[in-house]
Amino acid sequence: MDISKLWRFDFESFFVPEIVVSLFAMLIVAIISFVIYFKFKKLNENPLETPKGFTLIVSWFVEFIDKLTVNTMGVKNKKFAGLMLALSMYIFLAFTISLTGLPSPVTYLGVPLSIALITFILIHYTAAKENKRGYFKRFIEPVPIFLPINLLTMWAPLLSLTLRMFGNALSGFCIMSIVYFGLESISDMIFGSSFSGVYWANATGAVVSGASGPAGIFIAPFITPILHLYFDLFSGFVQTTVFMLLTMILVLNEQSEEPIEAQLEVSRN
């Protein structure tokens, strides 16, 4: 038995590209947060100065998140606006970062699972805080025989939030991969004769020609940007909004037994 295998570290299996990009996205969010902090710190030194440019956009975005949180969860839950702001920045960036050619972190199941786990923990933390010892009664209601079923259904929000985000991102990635392959093949059929005998090295270092070669790059740039706007930009905005709303509603539902519709109506008034 080779004892050295026990402590051998496999860097290739640990540094998954999507995880590395996810860390990069978090770094970008952190840098933007520091920039915003120092920008507004300087702005507060002169209260009469009107926000403009970057500070104006940030002010509008923060105000939008504050209003969305208050309108959804009520004034008493305005403290959740900071969390919603951080989550919205990361999720939207995780979707749109693929526009740069980097792999989207959301196409790796562990990333949406980690994000959904934040909501899952927040749900049960809020429930335990609100109900205290009564929190455990939910698992034996309406009768104790429902304990196994209730233990299974408690994981439904985690599974739903994870698969919704992951499925949307993965489906977009698969569709774009098929479109790229098809357009590259068509481009090679049309322009391949102009590059006959021309070879080049792909990302793996192998010498290739055909759809993977220079003849396959002429049509895709005219069609795929439109699809990227939908599958990356628009889809990222929709998934970010849906995740925030579901998180706020699920947490709000643990704070009171009143119907959610009634709570929303009170917060609007």
Side-chain angles (χ1 to χ4, degrees), residues 50-186:
T50 304
K52 56 184 178 180
F54 178 74
T55 54
L56 180 62
I57 296 174
V58 172
S59 299
W60 176 85
F61 181 60
V62 172
E63 184 179 358
F64 171 76
I65 296 295
D66 284 341
K67 287 184 178 180
L68 180 64
T69 305
V70 171
N71 290 337
T72 306
M73 305 184 71
V75 178
K76 67 175 184 178
N77 290 311
K78 189 179 179 180
K79 58 186 177 182
F80 287 101
L83 175 62
M84 295 300 107
L85 181 64
L87 286 176
S88 63
M89 290 176 63
Y90 172 77
I91 295 174
F92 184 72
L93 184 58
F95 269 93
T96 57
I97 201 169
S98 58
L99 291 171
T100 64
L102 296 173
S104 174
V106 198
T107 57
Y108 184 71
L109 183 59
V111 173
L113 176 61
S114 300
I115 301 173
L117 193 60
I118 297 174
T119 300
F120 179 77
I121 294 174
L122 188 59
I123 290 171
H124 288 275
Y125 169 78
T126 304
K129 183 179 179 181
E130 292 286 327
N131 302 297
K132 295 181 173 58
R133 295 181 180 179
Y135 164 76
F136 297 98
K137 291 183 179 180
R138 65 172 61 200
F139 299 110
I140 56 173
E141 291 179 348
V143 290
I145 197 174
F146 278 82
L147 177 61
I149 298 177
N150 289 332
L151 288 176
L152 287 176
T153 55
M154 71 175 286
W155 300 98
L158 177 63
L159 187 63
S160 174
L161 291 172
T162 300
L163 295 182
R164 178 182 286 105
M165 191 183 305
F166 174 70
N168 187 277
L170 186 62
S171 62
F173 171 77
C174 292
I175 292 174
M176 290 304 302
S177 298
I178 295 172
V179 170
Y180 269 111
F181 179 79
L183 293 178
E184 288 173 359
S185 299
I186 295 174

